[in-house]
Structure formats: C-alpha cells, structure tokens
Amino acid sequence: AELDALKKLSLNLTSSLDLQTVLDGVVKEALQLVKDAQDAHIYLYNEEKLVFGASLKNDGEKNIQTSEPGPDGLTGMVAREKKIITVEGMTNPPNFTGLPKTWRGSIIGIPLMMGTRVIGVMNLARSSAGEFNQSETRLLTLLADQAAIAILNARLHEAVSQQARSDALTGLPNRRSLDEHLDEEINRSKRSGKPFSVVMMDLDGFKIINDTLGHEVGDDVLRAIAHSFQKALRATDFLARYGGDEMTIILPETDWPQVLVVTNKIQQELRQLFFEKPSGEKYSL
C-alpha cells in the first residue's frame, strides 16, 4: 500500500512544472495519507524568510493563510532544527507560539529538504490527539522528499522561463514576452469590449551616446531610463524593451486621453533625467 501511495505521489507531483500547482498537489496528497486529517500547510523559504505557499482543509477551503510563521513557532523550529516535530495535543501545551488554545488535535511539522538545505516546511494537523504512527510518519516523509524535488524543479523551470522572457540589460520584459502579453490583451479586450492602447517609443540622440561615449555608457543610460519609465507607469501597465533604444508600453483599459496623460508623464520623467560625461559635462535625452 505504501509503494502504491509513493508511486501515485511521484506521478502527481511530477505532472506539472507550475509551482503553485505542485504546492496544491502536495497538500492534497498529504490530507489523503492521514486519517482524521484536518488541514495541511506549506511554507517555503524565499530570501531567507518563510513565506506561505499553499494550504488545504478537509472541507475543501484552500490557500488561506491563518498565521505568520514565527521563529518560535512550530514551522520556524522545524526549519531551524531540520527535523520532524510532532505536537501530540494541547493538554500539556508545548512551548510554541501561534497554536490556538482551544485546539485539541495533534500536528506534525516536516522539513522539505534537498540534501542538507531546507527549502520549506510542511505541516499537517488532525482532529485526534496522540502521536502519528510509524506508517503515517513514513508516508509523510516520503511525500516531503518528493515534494522537495518537485518544488525545486518548478522553481528552476520558473527561473529559466523568466530569463527567456526578460531583457538581460534592463531587466524589462523582452520582445517575446511583449508578443505574448499583447496576445493576452487582445483576447481580454475582445471579451470585455474595453479598449487598450499600445505606445511605441524610441530615444532621440541615443545613437550619438553609443558612438561617442561607448556602449558601456549607453547600457547604463538604458538601464536608468527603464527604471525612470517604470516609476511613471501604473501597476497595470506593461513596459517592455522592443530592441535597441525602442521600448513599448501596453496600457489596459486605456483610451486616447488617458494615453496622453501617461506619455506626458514619461516625457517629464525623461526631461528630469541627466547623465554625466567622463568630462563632467551633463547631458539629457
């Protein structure tokens, strides 16, 4: 039965490279492995901080974060000590923060590890108090091992996909990403009946900078301008580098008067942006 469960886990967790789909699959499988399971949660390390990844309750409610994982809580301790920790009930409250006083079940926290590195923590709570038996612990550990591999694969795929859609110089979305986003916006506009706008821009005088001051200075100028343009845009606007000194903006649900407001703001940002030549002389574009 355990081998069958492991086979099922492996198939389910390797069927997708989308991180959220993988996390949702892990908590779903966890609930099916333990009798009386109430809920399962996953927290992942992101920039040295544990952040919420996914959750599922036995009533179907999913991805609701109920508390922040603190250093003195169960999740923080599991990650720090790199070992499974079980709370068998609340009759003798353990020295953890964040556990509700009215709760009477048991909970197990399992580190998601790749070698000696902790990439996250999986917690599973059930309604009955007492320890988790050897079979349950073994199956949950097998799930955690499979989950760690699947999560790393999904993250690697995400990083490679992001690189393929990003301009290496400015960090903006590239032409490929722009084409995909444009297709999405066209389809959304057809469904909603609302307009969107596209702005094409190039930088007057940029070629002179490359020719006289060199491409390294030109690269610095492009990066500064990309950052300046991003400040002038709304959160819903999409800025991409089309190529060379050309940039493109997609503005959802925007008509011509609104476009003029955005483009005027961009030009104002650009007028306030000054660069310095090696001689100390300042110039602008």
Side-chain angles (χ1 to χ4, degrees):
E2 289 181 10
L3 286 172
D4 282 342
L6 179 58
K7 179 183 177 183
K8 181 168 171 280
L9 295 178
S10 299
L11 289 172
N12 288 346
L13 296 187
T14 55
S15 62
S16 175
L17 286 171
D18 176 70
L19 180 58
Q20 192 59 54
T21 301
V22 168
L23 297 178
D24 291 340
V26 173
V27 290
K28 180 181 178 182
E29 296 295 338
L31 285 187
Q32 295 175 358
L33 293 179
V34 175
K35 185 180 178 181
D36 299 327
Q38 270 194 329
D39 58 68
H41 292 74
I42 288 181
Y43 293 88
L44 298 179
Y45 265 123
N46 184 20
E47 297 180 355
E48 303 304 315
K49 181 182 178 183
L50 282 167
V51 296
F52 178 77
S55 70
L56 182 64
K57 290 186 177 181
N58 56 10
D59 62 4
E61 184 180 69
K62 61 186 294 187
N63 294 338
I64 303 297
Q65 183 176 3
T66 55
S67 62
E68 287 285 340
D72 298 323
L74 174 67
T75 304
M77 191 167 290
V78 170
R80 187 167 59 251
E81 298 189 5
K82 300 182 179 181
K83 68 178 185 181
I84 296 173
I85 297 178
T86 305
V87 179
E88 297 181 9
M90 295 298 289
T91 50
N92 294 308
N95 188 26
F96 294 134
T97 60
L99 294 179
K101 303 301 182 185
T102 56
W103 176 66
R104 291 292 178 268
S106 52
I107 185 170
I108 185 170
I110 304 174
L112 307 177
M113 298 188 66
M114 185 58 68
T116 59
R117 174 185 162 208
V118 178
I119 64 171
V121 174
M122 178 177 70
N123 299 328
L124 184 134
R126 66 180 180 189
S127 54
S128 56
E131 65 180 0
F132 290 79
N133 63 43
Q134 190 177 38
S135 177
E136 290 171 330
T137 304
R138 185 163 57 241
L139 277 172
L140 288 171
T141 302
L142 289 171
L143 171 60
D145 291 341
Q146 292 291 319
I149 295 170
I151 289 167
L152 282 180
N153 285 340
R155 279 182 161 175
L156 179 61
H157 175 74
E158 195 176 73
V160 171
S161 297
Q162 181 65 26
Q163 288 175 353
R165 287 166 172 76
S166 296
D167 173 55
L169 176 63
T170 61
L172 295 175
N174 60 15
R175 172 73 181 273
R176 176 181 177 181
S177 182
L178 173 66
D179 289 343
E180 293 174 353
H181 198 86
L182 187 57
D183 284 340
E184 293 171 5
E185 201 57 50
I186 289 170
N187 290 330
R188 181 161 44 237
S189 181
K190 285 178 179 177
R191 290 193 304 269
S192 67
K194 296 179 179 179
F196 73 96
S197 301
V198 178
V199 178
M200 297 287 290
M201 306 174 289
D202 67 1
L203 295 167
D204 294 342
F206 181 72
K207 185 176 183 302
I208 298 172
I209 293 174
N210 275 340
D211 292 346
T212 59
L213 301 178
H215 287 276
E216 189 173 337
V217 174
D219 290 348
D220 290 339
V221 168
L222 278 178
R223 278 190 286 264
I225 288 173
H227 179 69
S228 175
F229 283 5
Q230 284 175 312
K231 291 193 300 181
L233 297 176
R234 304 166 301 182
T236 54
D237 298 334
F238 181 87
L239 173 66
R241 185 183 181 197
Y242 191 80
D245 64 347
E246 296 177 315
M247 297 187 191
T248 305
I249 312 171
I250 298 175
L251 302 102
E253 299 185 14
T254 305
D255 57 17
W256 180 241
Q258 293 170 304
V259 171
L260 288 178
V261 172
V262 174
T263 53
N264 286 337
K265 191 174 180 183
I266 286 173
Q267 288 177 322
Q268 287 172 11
E269 286 284 341
L270 189 56
R271 289 189 193 100
Q272 295 169 11
L273 203 59
F274 289 90
F275 306 97
E276 192 170 298
K277 295 181 180 180
S279 62
E281 179 188 352
K282 290 189 176 181
Y283 63 93
S284 63
L285 292 171

